[in-house]
């Protein structure tokens, strides 16, 4: 009887070992399938964090990244072959365009400033209003927006790309099949997940190099965390080193738009009456008549009227002009805006209040923000 009991114990241990080995092997295989691309992770970004943010349904491979790079810079994705993703998100401008608001096909102007693509993979939603939940969904929208790249629909995009032999061959190699709009978006998103920035003077300072930033910048860092209250929304910690809370706030910038107060009242009434729908969300976001409603266009929640996403501050020195409408020309202008408590309106965030910063303190904050300028990919064949 005792021998039989020992025998069953050994069998049980063997089964547990086999199951554990199988689970570990499958998990390792899934992890390997998810990422087979060696990306350079800069100081300041945890490597495991990057791997976590690569979605299982869009594993990264060198071939997919290369295809995504070509699509990102290819102006043939626009209706008249004049605009690419890189037109508004240019490496020369830290993946923005240096303009107040972006310009699309036929010189048309949108209503919002182009945010940087750098580190965008870590953001919980995309666009100033968060209307796209992923990089893949974000990549699809500008191509068919009449103000941006102007293609009539996604079928037209696919048809156009199928007429280019190099893309037919590339998609077959990367995806094992034909071109689809989902695969176009997956390739562009895979490339964008390699667009990382870090190793700034601030990163080296936080890592222990006390000489990496100036005394003025050190004072600015203390102000950022304290009196200036910047860190309330521009969060920073080791697991979220991107200087954003990924949330949406009304700081009063929308009040720059003439007639905004009346628009806000009308939008609130329509929301209460259930007379709004999301069918033209992407178009409304770029329509100057509606764009200032911000996050409201996504949620239809009156509390979100005039609210926009907290942007990352990394490389902020290089991404002027500022705010979602490009209304502030310099970093000092931005700090003065916050110092006076923003622009008063019924939906103003409760976090907004006068800061009573001195001129010296505001200059120290500017010096600190400059230390967030880091390294990022700049050299691409298409961009020379």
């Amino acid at each position: 009887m005792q021998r039989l009991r020992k025998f069953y114990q050994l069998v049980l241990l063997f089964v547990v070992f086999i199951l554990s080995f199988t689970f570990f092997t499958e998990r390792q295989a899934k992890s390997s399938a998810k990422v087979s691309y060696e990306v350079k992770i800069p100081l300041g970004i945890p490597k495991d964090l990057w791997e976590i943010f690569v979605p299982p349904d869009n594993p990264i491979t060198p071939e997919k990244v290369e295809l995504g790079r070509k699509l990102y810079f290819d102006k043939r994705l626009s209706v008249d072959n004049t605009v690419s993703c890189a037109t508004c998100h240019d490496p020369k401008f830290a993946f923005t365009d240096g303009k107040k608001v972006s310009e699309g096909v036929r010189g048309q102007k949108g209503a919002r400033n182009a945010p940087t693509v750098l580190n965008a993979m870590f953001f919980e939603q995309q666009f100033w209003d968060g209307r796209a939940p992923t990089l893949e969904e974000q990549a699809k929208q500008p191509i068919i927006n009449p103000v941006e790249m102007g293609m009539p629909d996604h079928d037209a995009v696919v048809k156009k790309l199928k007429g280019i032999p190099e893309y037919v061959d590339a998609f077959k190699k990367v995806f094992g099949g034909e071109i689809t709009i989902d695969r176009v978006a997956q390739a562009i998103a895979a490339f964008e997940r390699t667009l990382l920035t870090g190793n700034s003077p601030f990163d080296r300072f936080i890592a222990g190099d006390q000489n990496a930033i100036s005394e003025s910048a050190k004072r600015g860092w203390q102000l950022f965390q304290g009196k200036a209250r910047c860190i309330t929304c521009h969060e920073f910690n080791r697991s979220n080193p991107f200087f954003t809370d990924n949330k949406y706030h009304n700081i009063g910038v929308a009040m720059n738009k003439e007639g905004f107060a009346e628009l806000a009242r009308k939008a609130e009434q329509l929301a209460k009456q259930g007379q709004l729908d999301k069918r033209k969300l992407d178009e409304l976001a770029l329509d100057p008549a509606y764009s200032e409603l911000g996050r409201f266009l996504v949620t239809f929640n009156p509390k979100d009227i005039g609210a926009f996403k907290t942007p990352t501050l990394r490389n902020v020195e290089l991404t002027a002009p500022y705010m979602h409408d490009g209304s502030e020309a310099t970093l000092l202008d931005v700090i003065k805006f916050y110092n006076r408590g923003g622009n008063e309106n019924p939906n103003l965030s409760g976090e907004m209040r006068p800061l009573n910063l001195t001129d010296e303190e505001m200059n120290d904050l500017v010096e600190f923000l400059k230390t967030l300028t880091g390294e990022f990919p700049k050299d691409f064949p298409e961009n020379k």
Side-chain angles (χ1 to χ4, degrees), residues 236-247:
F236 172 84
N237 56 59
R238 297 303 175 92
S239 61
N240 178 31
F242 306 110
F243 293 91
T244 175
D245 60 1
N246 282 298
K247 295 178 181 178

Side-chain angles (χ1 to χ4, degrees), residues 314-328:
R314 286 187 174 273
N315 297 305
V316 69
E317 177 187 13
L318 307 177
T319 58
Y322 304 105
M323 305 301 194
H324 72 269
D325 60 354
S327 56
E328 303 295 340

